[in-house]
Amino acid sequence: MAAVLESLLREEVSVAAAVRWVARGTPSSEESPGEAAVLSSLGPLRKEFVPFLLNFLREQSSRVLPQGPSTPAKTPGASAAVPGRPGGASRGGRGARSQLFPAAEPPGPAAEAPPARRGGRRRGPGGPARERGGGRGPGGPDEGVGGDSLPWPGARRPRGSGSPSSPGLARADPPNLSNLEEFPPVGSVPPGPAGTKPSRRINPTPVSEERSLSKPKTCFTSPPISCVPSSQPSAPDTSPPGLGLPPGCGSLQEEREMLRNERCKQLQPPPTPACPTPESGSPVPHRTGSLSAEPADPARVSSRQRLELVAQVYSSCIAENLVPNLFLELFFVLQLLTARRMAAAKDSDLESSPGALDSLESPLFLSIHDCVFFAVQVLEHQFQVLSYLDKGTLKLLAENERLLCFSPALQGRLRAAYEGSVAKVSLAMPPSAQAVSFQPETDNRANFSSDRAFHTFKKQRDVFYEVLREWEDRHEEPGWDFEKGLGSRIRAMMGQLSAACSHSHFVRLFQKQLLQMCQSPGGAGGPVLGEAPDVLNMLGADKLGRLRQLQERLVAPQSSGGPCPPPTFPGCQGFFRDFILSASSFQFNQHLMDSLSLKIRELNGLALPQHEPGDEDGESDVDWQGERRQFAMVLLSLRLLAKFLGFVAFLPYRGPEPPPTRELQDSILALRSQVPPVLDVRALLQQGLQAGRAVLTVPWLVEFLSFADHIVPLLDYYRSIFSLLLHLHRSLVLSRESEGEMCFLNKLLLLAVLGWLFQIPTVPEDLFFLEESHGDAFEVDPVASEHGLDSIPVVDQQLLYTCCPYIGELRKLLASWVSGSSGRSGGFVRKITPTTTTGLGAQLPQTSQGLQAQLAQAFFHNQPPSLRRTVEFVAERIGSNCVKHIKATLVADLVRQAESMLQEQLVTRGQEGGDAAQLLELLCSQLCPHGAQALTQGREFCQRKSPGAVRALLPEETPAAVLSSAENIAVGLATEKACTWLSANITALIRREVKAAVSRSLRAQGPEPAARVERRGCSRACEHHAPLPSHLISEIKDVLSLAVGPRDPEEGVSPEHLEQLLDQLGQCLRCRQFLCPPAEQHLAKCSVELASLLVADQIPILGPPAQHRLERGQARRLLHMLLSLWKDDFQGPVPLQLLLSPRNVGLLADTRPREWDLLLFLLRELVEMGLMGRMEIEACLGNLHEAQWPVDFSEEVATLFHLFLSEPHLPEPQLRACELVQPNRGTVLAQS
Amino acid sequence: MILTKAQYEEIARGLVSVPPTRQSLRKLRRRFPRYLSGVLKNGAAPVLLELANEVEYAPSLMARIILERFLQEREETPPSKSVITSMLRDPSQIPDGVLANQVYQCIVNDCCYGPLVDCIKHAIGHEHEVLLRDLLLERNLAFLDEDQLRAKGYDKTPDFILQVPVAVEGHIVHWIESKASFGDECSHHAYLHDQFWSYWNRFGPGLVIYWYGFIQELDCNRERGILLKACFPTDIVTLCHGTGDPAGPAEAGRSRGRKPSPIPAL
């Protein structure tokens, strides 16, 4: 492979030709015959050129730059894992992201016969790195925190255990790269044993002590990989160690040790700021050293021409999207730019071959000057991309003194770009949890199978939020564990969701809450240290010195996601992830997947309003902002939903490592290939590509796929998806700008997310480089694509940074250069949050059917999109209001009719009323036919309401004809919507409402049918100053308790007090402001009790000790008051029959002598005033016989009974004396 | 009256000790025979009430227990709760006249429990709801009350939901719950769990008015969305519907940017 590079360096082949060759495969006519000959001779190596180039650059830089900023590019995962972020928890091998390129063939059948690959390269140190990642079980919160999480500096950690080696050996010999026999191309090894670990890095070439001349030595290990703690075994790498290694080479691990030792000697103190195992004895960060960055001088660049050439080739590869991850390369370049010192610079060996400038035998970067020169060269080529970065990054770039020094022109352009940039990426407030509001339409009892399900869901909602609140409060506490803290409560709650319908209700709640809390990226980021970088940005580079210490404090404990972080669940998302895991309910997961899939389909298919290029005036600008915002909201929601869908869908298959053997893998493949995908993402992708909506579909698809397990990419179905994505990636050439092309930032977004996806460890490493592009992989509908979302600038920097926070690593890198801390990638954790937090726009209804619909569509075609939106909106709302209107008018009338019919029925049928169901049927059969009126009334409503609404919403200059058409269409659509619903549902609606009314009034009837007579309010003049009911009940209760006893001898009530009490009772009953039915009922009951006590003369009266009894006259007066209260003031029923209950009559038994006249008086008055019927009283008296009394008392009661019966039904007051004389006892009924 | 926790506890210490519940229940079981012998001697004596006083147990609860036991022995099956409740409400239904009187005596003499006291509590609650409703009407704050909400199918219903939210002391209020009691720790936590959080879960932040005061320290969920007050708030900010003036400052700024606002005529 190096042959190609060498050809280039020797200028046998032009850069353009080489890149064309790499990109398209065949030398084209543009090449000179010489070039063509050279290139075709190298044909088989074509695919390996880019990996080789990238590895070459990484290794060159890693070798030359002891502080090795090169690593993130090569092993992005090194800095990928974030401690404390449990995102990768369920995926093992997150750390394995660190490998950029494959070390092993993916054993998938789809891999096209790969050329032989040298074993030695396969078995790179990536193996151990991957082991580490993979060995950590799923769910480990510290996943990736180990060696992998630490960026390069660990590489230089001196390790005592390393095998000794001479410094010279650690250095590369000039490799004979053109010797194909000895230096076979990358990836040219036949598929190895299935157990080989896929490695994302380019295979390092082992350094052997007895290296032969031809042994390539260029591929040094990259530092982050060597950051493996020595305790980490590399055992899982099952292949025999010597298999792929050149004879004589012990192991790469040893070589790495050699290198480390060597470097360690060169570096004092060793730069190991974040090394996990500070066995070197110098765990102190090397900041002191790093602060003094070596100055870079353009005049001291060693081989300009060569560097320029390589930079050109490299840039061209980037430009043609031949590299997997654009931003990773930019990150690498910026690392070169901000490299601080050069350890190997003093190594005389490196300068010993000055004549080999045209070959690769001499190191590319001899000094910091070379690095910076190269970086600036590349940046010049990449200016266009840079100019689209956020303002903060541009500022830091423009203020970079090295850049100014090496290329004032580029600096000028960057400054201009900075000044012209409006791409301020803002930091939003961290949102606090907001509950999903109760939706009567869906959360109604009617939507549940039973009362129980309804109440269960009611409880569940509360438990869910309780859990959420607890999580909010506690998840940042050290030592708090989700599963321990909440797991059992969640499972208990899930256990109650028995019915399928309950699950769907809960899932709806869950999903809504998810969207509500996490959709805004603020929810994703949380407030963690979010401020720091912004403060730094605001102050600008020049003032940063003072903040250096502060920043380092902030930076030191933090490790960030790096330029290629693993998929994570930041912030609130973590709650939902952990909830799913803790719930571990397959029903819940299934319902959740169903629901997520549906929502994704819905949002993905959303007819996003389209921008009209011609319309440039202010009005459309407003729409335009709205469209962008809406797009952002839809996109972010889709990404969130897809992420969770991916998470849940692949959850059962996820394991830390790929299957250990080929056979196992094949059987798993056979099994899995018959499982239909949870959501037909391929179809959605194809549709998206065809319709020019890749910018919407691809970002969420990437989120979905990022959770795929190791098997997924090997399945034909998903492999074809990856293939499509690769072709898309290749086609997104940023420099190509023409009519109908995708917008720049749209492309940038896609490149960023795809680049990120290609770094996911489960994605086969060879996929990117080996997949051959077939141009016809997807067809784009030219018409659709012209108007598709892709060609509309829907993406802005805010959205770009929100979706791809890792792009912000570039800025962190630059900022850390300014602040003087080491060139670590990890800085501060910082999330970019968008400003848009409003909900999704209302979904537009689908219009359908008929010529009229087609005409309407045509009408809208030539009108501004806002018109269509308005009309559809109006139609939708009016249609919906129409239904509500019908409900409030027609249906309400029918319900009222039903109620009165019910009353009639009850009267005619008597108290029993008959069977409720029967009654309901009867009522419905009479009322439902009236439902037919709904359609006419509905039509009329829409006709009346729609035009006004349309007129109010459309601009005034809308032409009259357009306006009236719009109105008519709105009326039509609204009517259609309303009538469709009404005709289908009106009968059911009436039934439901009538049923509710019937059961309501039947319930209200209760035991006392008279209770529900229409309630009178108090008179208008009433000022509601009457005593409060509660006060009166309380007062009467006191009297009752005194009367019932026990009491002290001196206790009692005054007759005046009793009178006053009854007077107040009257006032209270007349002012009904504060009276509620239960209070009235109790007042009534208490008043009856009071009457009984009066009759039995049981109320202790205050006064002279002798008296203690109420005067007869007073008693009668009080009874009269009560009678009139019962008659006039109580509106509810008064339980007068209690007056004749055995208990109350029994009160008389205790009085000596017994006096019956008050009772008789009361009974007469009751009859008189029509409060009780004679029959009723007689019935009550009759019942008294059944009670068990003392014999004498029974006799008296019997006499009373006869006396009462014997009285003629006279209208006039019955005040005459009557005697119920039991002569022997002398009981007297006093004269009145 | 808003009390601090310390103040409240001082008062609570001064109050009678909490009646032992479970222990006295056990005692009661043993004493039921004593009741029988007691009433046999004198049916009119307040046997049951004294029994309750003796074990420091609420008389109406005591009556309920005795009644339950009585019915159980009579019918040999444990009586349903509703039967007992109904008998307590109307002791005339109790088949035994003496017991009926005893129960009635217990009920009218109990000042903490029993149907009568329940009714008083309920009435007080209702009265304050009415009061609150009037205050809302007076201030033109549109609301939906519990009955309307229930009719719409809401599963949890605060006393009032404001149709347009307001801000009280800078906190958004969607709903208002009236509590005609003193908010002590125990009841407040129960309310939080059974009601207030449930409201928050459905309707967002809201306001609770403890008309008889509360312990100051309990008002700690303001930021979370539950605000406590001891009276109707005075500092209410409503949503302003801009009539002539653009609503938000952003709007205003934009219009100013476009066209300089004319100098007002003096």
Side-chain angles (χ1 to χ4, degrees):
Chain A
M1 201 64 265
V4 181
L5 198 52
E6 297 217 319
S7 312
L8 280 165
L9 291 179
R10 285 194 295 268
E11 294 182 10
E12 287 171 16
V13 180
S14 76
V15 171
V19 173
R20 271 198 303 277
W21 169 71
V22 171
R24 307 199 216 332
T26 45
S28 68
S29 54
E30 294 165 63
E31 273 88 72
S32 68
E35 284 177 333
V38 172
L39 290 174
S40 41
S41 73
L42 297 169
L45 304 181
R46 194 171 62 80
K47 282 183 194 164
E48 282 117 47
F49 176 73
V50 177
F52 169 78
L53 176 68
L54 298 183
N55 264 341
F56 173 72
L57 289 172
R58 300 293 195 279
E59 276 146 24
Q60 287 291 315
S61 64
S62 76
R63 180 163 158 260
V64 179
L65 299 170
Q67 289 173 346
S70 72
T71 45
K74 195 171 197 178
T75 58
S79 50
V82 186
R85 276 209 234 167
S90 45
R91 313 186 56 211
R94 189 57 43 66
R97 266 195 89 92
S98 51
Q99 284 85 32
L100 186 57
F101 298 117
E105 283 304 318
E112 35 187 344
R117 184 193 280 186
R118 233 187 43 198
R121 313 199 120 210
R122 259 183 45 239
R123 197 127 336 279
R130 170 147 281 216
E131 294 320 312
R132 266 176 292 118
R136 200 150 312 171
D142 60 338
E143 177 186 318
V145 177
D148 276 349
S149 69
L150 299 158
W152 53 88
R156 280 86 195 175
R157 178 168 45 87
R159 287 171 49 166
S161 60
S163 64
S165 64
S166 77
L169 291 176
R171 260 170 263 120
D173 250 16
N176 183 357
L177 291 166
S178 50
N179 183 337
L180 292 183
E181 272 184 61
E182 301 216 47
F183 193 53
V186 179
S188 57
V189 169
T196 52
K197 299 285 157 187
S199 160
R200 198 47 64 96
R201 69 181 297 272
I202 294 160
N203 316 291
T205 309
V207 183
S208 111
E209 280 186 74
E210 63 250 39
R211 64 206 143 99
S212 65
L213 279 176
S214 58
K215 283 287 181 264
K217 296 302 172 209
T218 45
C219 299
F220 271 98
T221 65
S222 72
I225 287 165
S226 52
C227 186
V228 184
S230 53
S231 60
Q232 293 277 1
S234 58
D237 197 338
T238 50
S239 54
L243 182 67
L245 294 177
C249 178
S251 76
L252 283 168
Q253 203 58 40
E254 285 175 27
E255 292 167 26
R256 217 153 275 123
E257 299 306 332
M258 295 191 282
L259 274 171
R260 259 181 232 120
N261 289 338
E262 172 61 13
R263 287 193 188 118
C264 174
K265 282 172 200 156
Q266 294 168 347
L267 281 177
Q268 292 300 334
T272 59
C275 194
T277 48
E279 54 195 277
S280 63
S282 63
V284 184
H286 70 293
R287 284 189 202 102
T288 44
S290 72
L291 292 184
S292 56
E294 198 178 307
D297 180 0
R300 293 172 61 192
V301 175
S302 57
S303 52
R304 263 171 193 275
Q305 203 189 357
R306 206 166 68 126
L307 287 168
E308 267 170 22
L309 198 71
V310 176
Q312 209 182 340
V313 175
Y314 181 50
S315 302
S316 305
C317 288
I318 295 177
E320 286 284 328
N321 292 331
L322 296 172
V323 298
N325 189 329
L326 165 68
F327 288 99
L328 205 51
E329 300 310 318
L330 285 181
F331 189 78
F332 170 64
V333 172
L334 290 184
Q335 281 184 314
L336 286 179
L337 177 70
T338 57
R340 290 188 185 272
R341 321 192 69 189
M342 164 101 90
K346 294 181 195 83
D347 196 323
S348 57
D349 281 5
L350 293 177
E351 287 150 23
S352 63
S353 53
L357 283 183
D358 59 342
S359 77
L360 297 181
E361 288 171 16
S362 67
L364 188 61
F365 303 125
L366 284 173
S367 64
I368 206 88
H369 321 295
D370 291 358
C371 290
V372 175
F373 178 75
F374 177 79
V376 172
Q377 286 288 309
V378 178
L379 290 178
E380 276 184 347
H381 288 289
Q382 299 303 326
F383 171 75
Q384 198 186 12
V385 177
L386 298 179
S387 67
Y388 277 92
L389 294 176
D390 73 313
K391 200 163 178 158
T393 313
L394 283 174
K395 182 178 169 70
L396 287 167
L397 269 174
E399 285 170 352
N400 187 295
E401 64 273 28
R402 280 183 170 173
L403 204 140
L404 173 65
C405 180
F406 277 75
S407 175
L410 176 61
Q411 195 269 347
R413 288 161 79 195
L414 285 168
R415 179 157 291 283
Y418 161 68
E419 278 156 9
S421 169
V422 288
K424 261 216 161 287
V425 176
S426 66
L427 190 76
M429 293 287 289
S432 62
Q434 271 256 319
V436 170
S437 72
F438 182 87
Q439 294 300 322
E441 294 82 35
T442 48
D443 299 349
N444 205 325
R445 161 70 185 87
N447 292 318
F448 288 84
S449 55
S450 64
D451 274 329
R452 214 175 130 220
F454 179 57
H455 288 294
T456 306
F457 179 64
K458 178 170 87 178
K459 267 184 238 148
Q460 241 114 41
R461 177 195 282 266
D462 291 328
V463 175
F464 177 65
Y465 284 110
E466 193 182 301
V467 166
L468 179 56
R469 268 190 295 271
E470 182 161 340
W471 175 83
E472 276 196 317
D473 287 342
R474 311 204 44 196
H475 74 281
E476 275 166 348
E477 283 175 20
W480 188 80
D481 179 60
F482 188 96
E483 170 55 36
K484 259 186 235 151
L486 302 171
S488 56
R489 229 183 303 166
I490 290 173
R491 278 186 295 279
M493 173 187 133
M494 298 310 287
Q496 291 174 340
L497 291 170
S498 46
C501 123
S502 313
H503 271 289
S504 67
H505 277 288
F506 181 72
V507 160
R508 186 162 37 77
L509 176 72
F510 185 86
Q511 185 177 308
K512 275 190 184 167
Q513 188 67 36
L514 173 69
L515 277 175
Q516 202 160 302
M517 280 176 76
C518 307
Q519 186 183 45
S520 72
V528 191
L529 281 176
E531 301 285 312
D534 271 309
V535 174
L536 299 183
N537 289 336
M538 268 159 28
L539 289 174
D542 47 329
K543 295 192 185 155
L544 280 174
R546 280 187 289 164
L547 280 172
R548 186 181 300 154
Q549 284 182 314
L550 170 66
Q551 194 214 352
E552 279 182 1
R553 271 220 320 269
L554 291 170
V555 165
Q558 288 292 329
S559 143
S560 86
C564 264
T568 52
F569 292 93
C572 311
Q573 294 179 18
F575 170 78
F576 294 92
R577 194 264 326 265
D578 291 343
F579 188 97
I580 293 168
L581 289 176
S582 279
S584 56
S585 154
F586 68 90
Q587 296 103 322
F588 173 63
N589 288 359
Q590 187 60 50
H591 280 273
L592 187 59
M593 284 193 287
D594 296 347
S595 176
L596 289 168
S597 302
L598 182 71
K599 190 79 185 163
I600 289 173
R601 273 185 184 283
E602 184 187 312
L603 288 178
N604 188 56
L606 201 63
L608 286 170
Q610 305 201 340
H611 170 62
E612 297 134 291
D615 225 13
E616 289 298 324
D617 61 331
E619 180 208 3
S620 74
D621 194 49
V622 177
D623 291 347
W624 177 231
Q625 287 301 325
E627 278 172 32
R628 236 188 219 179
R629 203 164 46 231
Q630 198 196 359
F631 174 80
M633 291 319 298
V634 173
L635 184 71
L636 293 174
S637 303
L638 274 170
R639 280 169 53 92
L640 182 69
L641 296 168
K643 182 191 222 175
F644 273 87
L645 181 62
F647 173 68
V648 180
F650 298 120
L651 189 61
Y653 306 109
R654 206 168 300 131
E657 298 167 40
T661 65
R662 181 69 182 253
E663 290 71 31
L664 195 54
Q665 180 177 299
D666 285 347
S667 68
I668 295 175
L669 267 179
L671 206 61
R672 290 283 296 280
S673 58
Q674 50 154 9
V675 180
V678 57
L679 173 67
D680 192 357
V681 285
R682 183 170 63 185
L684 291 176
L685 174 63
Q686 281 162 344
Q687 287 162 18
L689 292 173
Q690 274 164 20
R693 288 163 67 92
V695 71
L696 181 65
T697 303
V698 171
W700 70 253
L701 182 61
V702 164
E703 289 287 298
F704 174 77
L705 292 174
S706 72
F707 282 93
D709 57 276
H710 288 92
I711 298 298
V712 166
L714 309 179
L715 298 166
D716 286 346
Y717 178 84
Y718 287 103
R719 194 158 183 101
S720 61
I721 291 176
F722 277 105
S723 171
L724 279 173
L725 290 178
L726 280 169
H727 298 135
L728 175 69
H729 182 265
R730 190 63 63 80
S731 73
L732 296 169
V733 177
L734 287 168
S735 57
R736 215 183 288 148
E737 280 182 281
S738 62
E739 198 65 24
E741 266 284 314
M742 199 184 283
C743 298
F744 193 91
L745 276 166
N746 296 9
K747 277 187 194 167
L748 212 53
L749 173 66
L750 294 188
L751 282 177
V753 296
L754 287 172
W756 178 77
L757 178 68
F758 296 145
Q759 301 299 317
I760 303 266
T762 45
V763 177
E765 295 78 3
D766 65 336
L767 208 64
F768 185 81
F769 293 108
L770 291 188
E771 194 74 31
E772 196 53 73
S773 94
H774 0 87
D776 54 6
F778 57 88
E779 288 160 10
V780 176
D781 177 358
V783 182
S785 71
E786 206 168 308
H787 300 288
L789 276 171
D790 288 348
S791 56
I792 305 172
V794 282
V795 176
D796 56 9
Q797 275 89 353
Q798 181 79 54
L799 185 60
L800 178 67
Y801 276 72
T802 303
C803 292
C804 313
Y806 33 87
I807 302 178
E809 295 294 318
L810 300 178
R811 171 150 68 154
K812 287 183 204 167
L813 186 63
L814 291 166
S816 66
W817 160 255
V818 171
S819 66
S821 72
S822 71
R824 270 179 296 182
S825 71
F828 6 81
V829 174
R830 136 128 238 253
K831 287 285 172 231
I832 294 139
T833 46
T835 47
T836 49
T837 47
T838 49
L840 293 170
Q843 207 195 342
L844 301 178
Q846 284 284 340
T847 57
S848 58
Q849 294 165 23
L851 188 63
Q852 279 306 314
Q854 283 175 29
L855 282 172
Q857 296 284 358
F859 166 71
F860 287 122
H861 189 76
N862 288 327
Q863 297 294 338
S866 61
L867 179 84
R868 184 196 186 117
R869 274 206 306 271
T870 306
V871 167
E872 287 181 325
F873 175 73
V874 167
E876 202 257 342
R877 292 319 312 158
I878 299 281
S880 163
N881 284 351
C882 174
V883 171
K884 290 190 177 122
H885 170 78
I886 296 294
K887 209 170 146 183
T889 55
L890 179 71
V891 177
D893 279 345
L894 292 176
V895 167
R896 267 193 292 280
Q897 281 184 42
E899 276 167 343
S900 61
M901 283 161 71
L902 181 71
Q903 289 299 334
E904 284 169 28
Q905 288 293 327
L906 288 178
V907 171
T908 51
R909 298 190 182 194
Q911 281 269 338
E912 306 310 311
D915 184 24
Q918 214 181 330
L919 262 175
L920 181 67
E921 279 311 312
L922 182 78
L923 293 174
C924 287
S925 66
Q926 291 179 30
L927 293 174
C928 284
H930 294 285
Q933 296 168 23
L935 292 185
T936 32
Q937 290 188 13
R939 230 171 258 131
E940 196 231 358
F941 179 86
C942 295
Q943 191 79 48
R944 196 171 67 235
K945 294 280 186 181
S946 306
V950 172
R951 236 173 289 140
L953 292 175
L954 288 182
E956 277 178 9
E957 63 264 27
T958 310
V962 173
L963 188 63
S964 84
S965 300
E967 286 173 13
N968 289 340
I969 293 171
V971 169
L973 288 176
T975 312
E976 187 197 2
K977 180 185 158 76
C979 290
T980 310
W981 193 91
L982 284 172
S983 58
N985 297 305
I986 187 70
T987 310
L989 178 67
I990 293 172
R991 263 193 95 81
R992 198 180 74 197
E993 295 290 309
V994 167
K995 185 180 173 187
V998 165
S999 59
R1000 205 164 43 227
S1001 43
L1002 282 180
R1003 219 180 307 132
Q1005 302 268 286
E1008 291 135 3
R1012 286 289 154 160
V1013 195
E1014 207 170 305
R1015 203 197 294 175
R1016 273 176 289 153
C1018 41
S1019 70
R1020 193 162 289 198
C1022 178
E1023 288 182 13
H1024 314 313
H1025 292 318
L1028 292 173
S1030 58
H1031 171 75
L1032 278 170
I1033 303 173
S1034 180
E1035 290 279 303
I1036 296 175
K1037 177 175 166 288
D1038 286 347
V1039 174
L1040 294 178
S1041 67
L1042 267 179
V1044 172
R1047 57 179 176 261
D1048 292 337
E1050 69 275 12
E1051 280 184 308
V1053 286
S1054 68
E1056 296 74 32
H1057 177 70
L1058 283 175
E1059 221 161 297
Q1060 192 194 347
L1061 201 58
L1062 293 185
D1063 184 52
Q1064 288 183 342
L1065 180 57
Q1067 291 174 31
C1068 167
L1069 289 169
R1070 284 186 290 275
C1071 164
R1072 309 195 65 82
Q1073 171 77 350
F1074 292 101
L1075 202 57
C1076 59
E1080 192 177 358
Q1081 277 169 27
H1082 270 90
L1083 282 172
K1085 216 167 133 258
C1086 289
S1087 66
V1088 173
E1089 301 282 354
L1090 196 62
S1092 289
L1093 289 166
L1094 281 172
V1095 165
D1097 196 16
Q1098 295 271 342
I1099 297 180
I1101 294 300
L1102 283 178
Q1107 205 174 346
H1108 267 272
R1109 313 190 74 177
L1110 208 55
E1111 266 179 50
R1112 207 76 346 160
Q1114 276 173 328
R1116 283 186 188 224
R1117 199 162 55 246
L1118 290 170
L1119 285 177
H1120 255 298
M1121 286 178 86
L1122 280 168
L1123 282 163
S1124 87
L1125 285 175
W1126 294 335
K1127 181 165 167 52
D1128 300 326
D1129 297 322
F1130 277 103
Q1131 292 184 4
V1134 181
L1136 293 169
Q1137 65 285 355
L1138 283 180
L1139 288 170
L1140 291 172
S1141 73
R1143 193 177 64 81
N1144 281 331
V1145 174
L1147 293 171
L1148 282 164
D1150 300 333
T1151 49
R1152 289 288 186 282
R1154 296 193 183 111
E1155 296 179 15
W1156 294 91
D1157 62 330
L1158 282 174
L1159 182 59
L1160 205 54
F1161 162 76
L1162 190 60
L1163 292 180
R1164 284 178 190 139
E1165 287 299 305
L1166 286 171
V1167 176
E1168 197 81 7
M1169 298 173 90
L1171 286 165
M1172 277 181 104
R1174 278 188 81 89
M1175 307 293 288
E1176 209 181 328
I1177 292 178
E1178 280 164 23
C1180 289
L1181 288 173
N1183 287 341
L1184 281 177
H1185 287 304
E1186 290 158 26
Q1188 291 176 346
W1189 308 108
V1191 186
D1192 57 333
F1193 188 72
S1194 294
E1195 285 166 8
E1196 287 183 34
V1197 171
T1199 318
L1200 175 82
F1201 185 45
H1202 290 304
L1203 196 65
F1204 182 76
L1205 287 182
S1206 65
E1207 280 175 15
H1209 298 193
L1210 290 179
E1212 73 266 24
Q1214 305 288 313
L1215 294 175
R1216 63 192 163 84
C1218 48
E1219 292 210 335
L1220 298 163
V1221 183
Q1222 288 272 319
N1224 54 342
R1225 291 188 187 269
T1227 306
V1228 175
L1229 280 176
Q1231 304 282 320
S1232 61
Chain B
M1 174 179 54
I2 301 178
L3 297 178
T4 66
K5 198 174 166 190
Q7 285 167 333
Y8 174 78
E9 274 167 1
E10 201 183 322
I11 294 171
R13 264 198 305 277
L15 293 174
V16 283
S17 59
V18 190
T21 46
R22 212 196 305 270
Q23 297 84 339
S24 49
L25 262 176
R26 239 177 280 128
K27 277 192 222 164
L28 280 176
R29 296 262 148 81
R30 271 180 264 124
R31 284 178 195 198
F32 185 61
R34 205 185 99 183
Y35 163 75
L36 285 179
S37 59
V39 292
L40 279 179
K41 256 183 258 160
N42 179 4
V47 180
L48 198 50
L49 188 63
E50 279 169 6
L51 205 58
N53 289 336
E54 195 178 313
V55 294
E56 293 182 338
Y57 200 63
S60 59
L61 301 183
M62 166 75 88
R64 175 180 276 270
I65 291 164
I66 299 287
L67 182 60
E68 198 176 324
R69 192 71 187 262
F70 167 80
L71 292 173
Q72 198 173 341
E73 285 188 4
R74 226 172 103 102
E75 283 151 38
E76 288 173 0
T77 47
S80 77
K81 240 185 175 153
S82 61
V83 168
I84 293 187
T85 307
S86 148
M87 284 184 174
L88 286 174
R89 215 176 276 159
D90 178 11
S92 310
Q93 296 171 12
I94 298 175
D96 182 292
V98 176
L99 184 59
N101 284 332
Q102 295 281 340
V103 166
Y104 188 71
Q105 192 171 37
C106 281
I107 286 167
V108 292
N109 276 293
D110 193 327
C111 50
C112 291
Y113 303 94
L116 258 176
V117 178
D118 287 349
C119 178
I120 294 172
K121 289 179 188 167
H122 181 270
I124 293 177
H126 178 79
E127 286 153 21
H128 283 88
E129 271 176 45
V130 173
L131 194 72
L132 178 56
R133 173 195 305 269
D134 287 351
L135 289 163
L136 289 173
L137 287 172
E138 208 173 282
R139 280 162 182 75
N140 261 332
L141 299 173
F143 57 81
L144 292 172
D145 66 22
E146 244 178 315
D147 295 335
Q148 290 166 304
L149 292 172
R150 221 170 275 132
K152 282 179 178 241
Y154 284 81
D155 58 355
K156 287 265 185 176
T157 51
D159 289 330
F160 300 100
I161 287 186
L162 300 177
Q163 287 175 331
V164 180
V166 298
V168 173
E169 291 167 20
H171 297 272
I172 299 292
V173 168
H174 283 282
W175 49 265
I176 303 179
E177 177 79 1
S178 157
K179 286 283 170 232
S181 59
F182 180 84
D184 64 19
E185 233 176 326
C186 175
S187 63
H188 183 66
H189 282 135
Y191 284 141
L192 270 178
H193 181 265
D194 297 335
Q195 301 187 341
F196 307 154
W197 284 129
S198 297
Y199 301 154
W200 183 93
N201 297 344
R202 289 158 179 78
F203 316 112
L207 165 71
V208 177
I209 303 179
Y210 277 111
W211 296 102
Y212 293 94
F214 56 90
I215 295 175
Q216 209 165 27
E217 282 87 341
L218 293 177
D219 189 15
C220 56
N221 283 311
R222 287 181 159 225
E223 302 307 320
R224 267 271 170 91
I226 291 173
L227 178 66
L228 303 188
K229 298 284 293 175
C231 60
F232 193 79
T234 45
D235 169 26
I236 295 182
V237 179
T238 53
L239 189 65
C240 299
H241 300 281
T243 43
D245 210 22
E251 281 285 315
R254 207 168 58 186
S255 63
R256 215 173 296 131
R258 271 187 197 156
K259 212 191 287 173
S261 48
I263 300 159
L266 295 170

